[in-house]
Amino acid sequence: MAETTRRFFPYESPYPNQGEAMTRIAAALDDGDDVLFEGAPGTGKTLSALVPALEHAREEDRTVVITTNVHQQMRQFVEEARAINDEEEIRAVVFKGKSSMCHIGVDYQECQTLRDTTRELVEDEAEKQELEQQQRELLDASREGDAAAAQRREAVMEELEEVEDRIEDVESANICEHYRNNLLGDNEEFYEWLYDGVRTPEEIYEYADRNELCGYELLKEGMEAVDLVVCNYHHLLDPNIREQFFRWLDREPERVVTVFDEAHNIESAARDHASRSLTENTLDSALDELDDRDDSRADAAENVIGAFRDALVDAYEDGFAFGEREQVDEHWSDVPIANDDARDDLTLAFLRNYEGKGIDTETELAIQLGEAIDEEYEEAYKNGEATSRAESSTLAAARFLATWMEENAELGQYPVVSVRRDEGTDEIYGRAELYTCIPRRVTEALFDEVYASVLMSATLRPFDVAADVLGLDDPVTMAYGLEYPEEHRRTYAAGTPALFASDRGDPEVQESVSALVSDVVEFTPGNTLLFFPSYSEAERYYGRLGGTGQPVGDADAGGADLLLDGSDVDTDDLRERFVHSDDAALFTSLWGTLAEGVSFDGDDARAVVVVGVPYPHIDDRLEAVQDAYDRAYGDRNDAGWRYAVEIPTVRKTRQALGRVIRSPEDFGVRVLADKRYTRADMGRFSVRDTFPEEERDELIDMNPEKLKFGMLNFYADRDAYDGAPPEP
């Protein structure tokens, strides 16, 4: 580890390769280069990136922003920042969205209006005090015979009357008392407390609540000249929020170094931020808003919005196959509208329905009118004429329509119509969406404007794909595998039948998988973590091993306590039950929250099994993503399948495997249970070669029926069994 970074490293010595990683990242940052950094789980990636980033920022007057979309990682960042602060004082802020820190439960737009109204009131009250003081002084002067003072006093009294009228109007309006207290106090005590450590958003909320302050606004106003900010992805990936965020930092983007943790998730997160949607309900609300409105632009707005609304209904009604309408439930389901050789069905229906003076012209008039209506709503809320801050549906509809007509033919933009059933009325309504297939539309601009970025993950390779997908130009790349003793782990590729979706109901397949899972649970001296392609598959094998929600004593499961995860389960509580058990098996989904960002250290889990290859459901959207990648990278063999399906799937598998073996002293067995992980030729669906070479080299092909013998020998060599080992 370089001497220059030592002051920010909070522990006695780094993990293997951690020192080298810090040195290389420091050199890259000095050159202004972006970094793609892969490190095996438990190898200290956070400090490897954070320590040199903080050193660079301290020397070059920059701010480090570290971000993740995994809740557990936010906690880890806070712990690391506190450890650093104990050794070398830093000014750090941990930031969350307004909704999680608001004391009165209003949405973002209402908060903005309340804040502006409250600030106006406080400023007017201050101005009133100043004018009252002036008029008293001028009155005294005029009584002493100063005629000019008397004239000036008349002007001051007129100003004072105007201010008092404004105050009277605002006093009956909506204001935020918490924010008002911010403005009236000096807040020095808060900032002394804030920077006397590393405070979590929850701690800030509690402090502000006790003192009837707005912690969110105080935090925003106190972010200047900080060394480190911890935040969620959306603060950087949403272009509008990012612009405000940098303003709160009082930093130009080139004065910011970003560190993205769990960076394999940036692609999907950026895609979500870039996609835009508009519901039929919003269109109906816009038409209601325009009805009988006395404005010359109203007819044009009704014309264009009404035509689009009718086209949306036509598109989904025409898209239903026989019997599909009756199957629509409360969840959004897509109705395909894209065409290979023409505009999409929604746009074609819109063009057929529309009769007017021009779509672009009337859409622009609708935007102008929507902006005027939105201003009316804001004034009504500020003046207390409305109890909540309404937003103009006309404005939302018109802006979306303009985007739809401008962008839906661009590469990487996929037009979609979705439908759902209203639980209250049982009526079906639709949604139009522009789904962004290629996330670099969002990420490339971000990485271009900040000084440099470090993207780190345990599963970031292949680097060329990551750079292409996210829009990074010639980044520095580095990868460090598990440098812990190889004899402490075994990684098996067990040749159970390929768990294709079409074969999951096959009794022979189920019997083979059940036998393997039972063997792993029985021959693991401690807890076993089991990942399946879905929660339903996890539940299937939980039941086959005798799972009932109670400790199980059957011979097949070795007497282990069987625990089942699900979409409606409190995973924090489930994890606590699991890690505090001596012999448990946790059945969960590879798509759940326990598959990444969560550590199972030491005795928390001694074995992990990934059952099946977690390919996502290949729906129209994913096919659109594949097609977009094929067109964008057409010179590369099968780019769509690799970029959109195969590589993300293997990353998902690697993340799950990484939940165990988290330190040099740790030991355990990792099992990939599916023939597609072995050397067997499964054609396009063989995934072994997609793993990094050093991980591929560790994979031991194993007959499923022989796996228990390999496990028995491995654990017996480490005296891991409490008493006599189980009989094979």
Side-chain angles (χ1 to χ4, degrees):
M1 178 170 53
E3 192 66 36
T4 54
T5 62
R6 187 174 297 278
R7 61 173 167 168
F8 288 101
F9 190 77
Y11 305 117
E12 183 175 347
S13 60
Y15 285 137
N17 287 329
Q18 198 175 36
E20 179 184 337
M22 285 188 279
T23 300
R24 293 183 63 189
I25 291 172
L29 293 178
D30 287 343
D31 293 337
D33 292 332
D34 296 320
V35 177
L36 292 176
F37 169 36
E38 179 175 298
T43 55
K45 290 186 296 297
T46 300
L47 285 178
S48 295
L50 190 53
V51 165
L54 284 171
E55 177 65 32
H56 173 88
R58 179 69 59 87
E59 294 297 320
E60 302 296 334
D61 187 28
R62 292 189 167 94
T63 293
V64 178
V65 178
I66 186 167
T67 181
T68 184
N69 69 335
V70 178
H71 181 65
Q72 290 87 348
Q73 288 301 103
M74 292 283 285
R75 298 175 185 170
Q76 179 67 26
F77 292 167
V78 171
E79 291 177 9
E80 300 286 23
R82 285 173 170 167
I84 291 171
N85 189 60
D86 288 342
E87 297 296 321
E88 177 75 17
E89 186 174 342
I90 58 172
R91 288 168 64 90
V93 169
V94 184
F95 206 80
K96 273 190 177 181
K98 189 208 76 63
S99 61
S100 64
M101 299 184 69
C102 182
H103 300 269
I104 58 176
V106 297
D107 64 24
Y108 179 80
Q109 194 61 54
E110 285 185 76
C111 176
Q112 294 290 97
T113 303
L114 283 173
R115 187 191 64 183
D116 294 344
T117 305
T118 304
R119 183 179 288 278
E120 288 173 13
L121 175 61
V122 171
E123 290 173 350
D124 284 341
E125 289 174 337
E127 185 178 355
K128 177 185 174 183
Q129 291 180 3
E130 184 178 338
L131 290 171
E132 286 176 337
Q133 176 66 24
Q134 289 181 27
Q135 74 87 16
R136 285 193 295 269
E137 292 173 354
L138 291 170
L139 178 60
D140 291 342
S142 65
R143 285 173 175 170
E144 295 175 1
D146 188 341
Q151 290 181 336
R152 291 199 301 275
R153 181 174 179 272
E154 288 183 11
V156 169
M157 291 301 293
E158 289 180 6
E159 289 184 51
L160 183 58
E161 186 176 348
E162 291 177 3
V163 171
E164 287 175 337
D165 288 343
R166 291 203 303 268
I167 291 174
E168 185 177 350
D169 290 340
V170 173
E171 281 180 334
S172 61
N174 294 307
I175 66 168
C176 176
E177 290 294 343
H178 289 79
Y179 183 54
R180 185 178 187 178
N181 292 336
N182 285 12
L183 298 174
L184 294 175
D186 62 17
N187 301 318
E188 190 64 33
E189 182 180 335
F190 170 80
Y191 289 114
E192 288 179 1
W193 169 83
L194 178 67
Y195 291 118
D196 189 33
V198 179
R199 310 298 184 184
T200 66
E202 292 76 19
E203 291 171 329
I204 293 169
Y205 179 92
E206 291 173 3
Y207 181 103
D209 195 51
R210 287 195 305 271
N211 294 278
E212 295 187 329
L213 299 168
C214 176
Y216 179 76
E217 290 295 331
L218 286 173
L219 195 57
K220 281 168 46 179
E221 293 166 11
M223 287 172 63
E224 299 176 4
V226 295
D227 299 297
L228 174 67
V229 180
V230 180
C231 65
N232 294 317
Y233 271 6
H234 69 268
H235 289 100
L236 294 178
L237 294 181
D238 186 303
N240 295 323
I241 297 177
R242 181 167 74 242
E243 183 179 352
Q244 295 180 34
F245 188 65
F246 288 156
R247 191 161 58 245
W248 299 335
L249 285 175
D250 195 28
R251 290 290 199 186
E252 294 298 320
E254 58 267 22
R255 308 303 303 175
V256 174
V257 175
T258 63
V259 179
F260 280 84
D261 190 49
E262 305 295 346
H264 60 282
N265 288 321
I266 297 177
E267 178 181 355
S268 60
R271 187 175 287 123
D272 290 341
H273 280 289
S275 299
R276 303 168 180 86
S277 63
L278 178 71
T279 67
E280 184 180 336
N281 290 349
T282 301
L283 289 163
D284 287 338
S285 179
L287 294 172
D288 289 341
E289 195 174 62
L290 294 168
D291 192 32
D292 295 329
R293 178 166 284 272
D294 185 18
D295 189 293
S296 60
R297 298 164 291 188
D299 288 344
E302 284 185 291
N303 194 26
V304 71
I305 291 173
F308 192 79
R309 186 265 180 204
D310 292 342
L312 175 59
V313 175
D314 290 344
Y316 69 69
E317 290 290 359
D318 292 345
F320 283 136
F322 179 77
E324 285 185 344
R325 197 180 201 284
E326 291 70 29
Q327 296 175 13
V328 175
D329 59 19
E330 70 275 12
H331 302 103
W332 287 111
S333 57
D334 291 348
V335 178
I337 61 168
N339 299 302
D340 292 335
D341 55 354
R343 299 293 292 271
D344 61 272
D345 293 341
L346 174 53
T347 302
L348 293 175
F350 178 44
L351 295 174
R352 286 195 304 269
N353 291 350
Y354 175 76
E355 295 179 357
K357 299 178 180 179
I359 290 174
D360 292 345
T361 299
E362 294 196 327
T363 300
E364 178 57 34
L365 290 172
I367 291 174
Q368 293 174 13
L369 179 55
E371 290 172 341
I373 294 171
D374 207 57
E375 290 175 5
E376 291 176 14
Y377 291 156
E378 181 163 359
E379 286 300 315
Y381 183 60
K382 287 170 64 175
N383 296 333
E385 298 166 13
T387 57
S388 62
R389 203 292 189 186
E391 295 186 50
S392 172
S393 297
T394 299
L395 182 58
R399 284 177 172 170
F400 176 84
L401 221 168
T403 300
W404 180 274
M405 296 305 294
E406 180 181 350
E407 296 186 6
N408 77 343
E410 293 183 6
L411 174 63
Q413 293 293 89
Y414 180 63
V416 185
V417 166
S418 306
V419 292
R420 67 183 297 185
R421 191 176 299 277
D422 187 296
E423 293 184 88
T425 66
D426 203 39
E427 297 292 326
I428 288 175
Y429 65 100
R431 178 183 68 183
E433 181 182 357
L434 272 180
Y435 181 67
T436 299
C437 299
I438 300 180
R440 70 182 296 160
R441 290 171 57 92
V442 173
T443 56
E444 189 168 23
L446 165 64
F447 296 133
D448 283 347
E449 67 180 10
V450 299
Y451 172 74
S453 298
V454 180
L455 282 65
M456 59 185 185
S457 169
T459 57
L460 205 51
R461 286 180 284 179
F463 290 134
D464 60 334
V465 174
D468 280 347
V469 167
L470 300 177
L472 290 164
D473 183 24
D474 195 25
V476 173
T477 61
M478 58 187 74
Y480 298 100
L482 271 177
E483 294 298 319
Y484 307 146
E486 192 170 337
E487 62 269 19
H488 286 187
R489 63 186 183 271
R490 290 289 184 274
T491 309
Y492 296 108
T496 54
L499 209 62
F500 291 111
S502 58
D503 295 333
R504 291 174 188 172
D506 187 320
E508 292 185 7
V509 171
Q510 293 180 16
E511 184 61 33
S512 176
V513 172
S514 297
L516 179 133
V517 170
S518 179
D519 283 348
V520 174
V521 172
E522 182 177 359
F523 283 87
T524 298
N527 293 341
T528 306
L529 194 58
L530 298 147
F531 291 102
F532 294 84
S534 67
Y535 284 123
S536 61
E537 285 297 289
E539 185 174 7
R540 181 201 300 276
Y541 289 98
Y542 168 80
R544 286 186 65 90
L545 265 69
T548 62
Q550 300 295 325
V552 178
D554 62 290
D556 289 340
D561 181 9
L562 306 187
L563 304 176
L564 178 64
D565 193 10
S567 58
D568 58 349
V569 171
D570 183 338
T571 53
D572 287 340
D573 179 65
L574 182 67
R575 183 185 181 280
E576 285 300 304
R577 289 173 57 197
F578 178 67
V579 300
H580 287 102
S581 174
D582 294 329
D583 186 13
L586 196 162
F587 294 68
T588 186
S589 168
L590 277 156
W591 299 95
T593 58
L594 295 175
E596 59 180 271
V598 182
S599 296
F600 293 89
D601 304 318
D603 292 335
D604 290 354
R606 284 297 176 203
V608 58
V609 185
V610 175
V611 178
V613 179
Y615 285 119
H617 174 60
I618 310 295
D619 56 13
D620 290 328
R621 291 178 187 242
L622 191 51
E623 287 184 354
V625 174
Q626 291 185 68
D627 180 62
Y629 282 140
D630 276 331
R631 286 184 287 152
Y633 306 108
D635 57 332
R636 302 178 191 184
N637 185 38
D638 212 6
W641 172 259
R642 288 191 70 240
Y643 282 31
V645 180
E646 185 175 77
I647 289 170
T649 296
V650 171
R651 283 176 177 158
K652 180 70 68 176
T653 301
R654 294 176 63 211
Q655 281 287 330
L657 283 184
R659 295 315 93 207
V660 300
I661 316 295
R662 310 287 296 190
S663 72
E665 298 76 27
D666 206 353
F667 64 90
V669 167
R670 306 181 298 178
V671 180
L672 296 172
D674 192 298
K675 192 176 181 180
R676 289 169 288 182
Y677 291 116
T678 70
R679 291 187 177 87
D681 184 3
M682 301 294 291
R684 185 188 200 188
F685 298 103
S686 292
V687 296
R688 189 188 188 99
D689 288 344
T690 308
F691 284 76
E693 183 178 1
E694 72 276 10
E695 294 180 17
R696 202 163 58 234
D697 290 344
E698 281 196 32
L699 282 176
I700 302 170
D701 280 11
M702 178 67 72
N703 182 325
E705 296 176 359
K706 303 294 185 182
L707 177 63
K708 58 187 174 184
F709 296 102
M711 294 180 62
L712 180 63
N713 291 333
F714 172 80
Y715 288 120
D717 287 345
R718 279 149 194 81
D719 296 324
Y721 293 110
D722 185 12
E727 289 291 332

